[in-house]
Amino acid sequence: MLVLGIETSCDETGLALYDSEAGLRAHVLHSQVAVHAEYGGVVPELASRDHVRKTLPLLRRLLDEAGVGPEAVGGVAYTAGPGLIGALLVGASIGRSLAWAWGVPAVAVHHMEGHLLAPMLEPDPPAFPFVALLVSGGHTQLVRVDGVGRYRILGESLDDAAGEAFDKTAKLLGLGYPGGPAVAREAERGDPGRFRFPRPMTDRPGLDFSFSGLKTFALNTLQEVGADAGSRADISRAFQDAVVDTLAIKCRRALQETGLQRLVIAGGVGANAALRERLADIAAGAGGRVYYPRPLFCTDNGAMIAYAGCVRLAAGQREPLAIEARARWPMESLEAP
Ligand code: KG4
Ligand code: ZN
């Protein structure tokens, strides 16, 4: 079955075609960076409007690239939450309506399940069970994954998500939006020995995170030493080292506590090279290995939604005709298809 996936939960419009037999057929992505850059962050109403403008032209391009017509599509999957409600409603309305018009089934996909299953798009996918570290702009979660829809949250952020901490730190350092890649770039030239930031919540048991204090640390350091280029790079380095170290300590703990050896990293921050390198060591230390999607599929994309939708459609899951989206949607409430 050829499944169309539509992702519009935040600031990227992503569409893809995934074939249950042949795998990923085509994917297209439009980033809204230029729309939001002058505001220093995502403006929800502008995001919704841009999704409205871009989704159908992208669909035409996608079908062209795959060399197929709409009649080849056997099912439609769209992100129904969590995310910005207006943005979600664009993809949900278009996705549900196309499925109705084409006379094919539709399925609503959980955005974080999409991220979680993105490594399945790669040539050497992980087998279940595994521990997943989900690190995006809105979520930081450690999840025990026993199969599709069988998720147990082992720990999560009590305040800012890891990506949010990158974005806020970038903003106060004057590095602009989106912040994660900018901080990572600065950190590369930074001196690792100049500042040391704390590793929050690592000195007590448990798998929860707290990242909001790190941006305050960055701000205080900045005010102390001034915002010259060298200091910006050194602060970026200290910040990134603290986030990477903290995530690594908790991942090691999660592998120990579950006795599992496979570690999956997904979500936008999973594109961070320093984090990838460090977690590869952690998983190897546990006698296993790490799995991640290619960097392009770490951040929001349609391919992960098409894949997750394909698995659920193949198992017989169907959406009623109502168009629904949810700004909040706990992943543990999902069921196996
Ligand atoms: O998964 P994603 O595209 O969207 C959400 O579902 O939130 O994640 C976006 C987040 C942003 O906070 C962005 O700054 C961060 O991922 N990010 C990075 C990198 N690339 C994107 N953070 C650190 N290093 C990167 N290379
Ligand atoms: Zn995401």
Side-chain angles (χ1 to χ4, degrees):
M1 184 200 287
L2 188 64
V3 175
L4 166 67
I6 303 176
E7 156 63 36
T8 65
S9 69
C10 189
D11 58 350
E12 337 256 358
T13 319
L15 284 84
L17 287 168
Y18 186 88
D19 186 301
S20 49
E21 307 297 316
L24 188 64
R25 286 282 298 272
H27 72 96
V28 290
L29 191 69
H30 165 74
S31 162
Q32 298 183 350
V33 165
V35 174
H36 304 293
E38 63 175 297
Y39 304 97
V42 179
V43 183
E45 181 59 22
L46 296 182
S48 311
R49 292 179 193 196
D50 203 52
H51 289 307
V52 169
R53 275 191 293 268
K54 297 296 175 357
T55 305
L56 287 177
L58 278 170
L59 173 61
R60 283 186 205 107
R61 214 174 86 203
L62 178 75
L63 293 171
D64 276 354
E65 274 181 28
V68 298
E71 67 288 345
V73 176
V76 179
Y78 50 86
T79 305
L84 302 173
I85 192 67
L88 287 165
L89 276 169
V90 177
S93 308
I94 293 176
R96 189 66 199 85
S97 306
L98 284 174
W100 179 77
W102 292 340
V104 298
V107 68
V109 172
H110 190 288
H111 181 76
M112 297 313 290
E113 176 172 80
H115 276 305
L116 183 79
L117 297 177
M120 304 300 183
L121 293 162
E122 301 306 332
D124 184 16
F128 299 114
F130 54 77
V131 170
L133 173 69
L134 297 178
V135 271
S136 70
H139 292 78
T140 301
Q141 295 179 318
L142 272 165
V143 190
R144 184 192 163 104
V145 180
D146 285 293
V148 174
R150 298 174 62 201
Y151 310 130
R152 195 155 64 78
I153 309 289
L154 304 170
E156 60 193 330
S157 179
L158 306 178
D159 41 54
D160 291 355
E164 192 179 356
F166 266 96
D167 293 337
K168 288 178 175 172
T169 300
K171 200 167 184 176
L172 65 88
L173 289 176
L175 299 174
Y177 149 92
V183 170
R185 244 182 340 263
E186 287 291 311
E188 235 170 80
R189 341 183 259 112
D191 172 4
R194 180 151 171 224
F195 307 115
R196 188 182 162 82
F197 286 14
R199 276 57 175 156
M201 294 183 71
T202 52
D203 57 351
R204 66 188 96 161
L207 294 167
D208 287 335
F209 304 92
S210 165
F211 289 113
S212 70
L214 286 177
K215 65 171 186 291
T216 315
F217 224 87
L219 183 62
N220 292 343
T221 311
L222 185 73
Q223 282 168 348
E224 220 173 275
V225 301
D228 60 284
S231 296
R232 271 206 300 270
D234 297 342
I235 292 171
S236 296
R237 179 58 186 257
F239 168 82
Q240 179 173 282
D241 283 354
V243 173
V244 167
D245 220 28
T246 303
L247 292 171
I249 291 167
K250 298 284 165 114
C251 283
R252 186 169 57 213
R253 210 178 272 174
L255 291 174
Q256 269 163 4
E257 288 181 10
T258 56
L260 297 177
Q261 276 139 12
R262 286 181 290 271
L263 179 63
V264 159
I265 313 164
V269 184
N272 186 281
L275 180 66
R276 285 173 169 242
E277 212 172 289
R278 189 68 203 290
L279 292 182
D281 291 342
I282 295 289
R289 56 160 286 204
V290 74
Y291 299 82
Y292 30 58
R294 70 197 82 161
L296 182 66
F297 292 162
C298 278
T299 43
D300 292 347
N301 65 86
M304 66 185 195
I305 302 305
Y307 175 81
C310 185
V311 172
R312 288 187 171 275
L313 284 167
Q317 195 170 321
R318 299 289 182 265
E319 216 55 43
L321 280 176
I323 295 168
E324 278 184 286
R326 308 167 65 168
R328 293 180 184 281
W329 186 2
M331 196 165 61
E332 274 179 322
S333 69
L334 296 181
E335 287 174 11

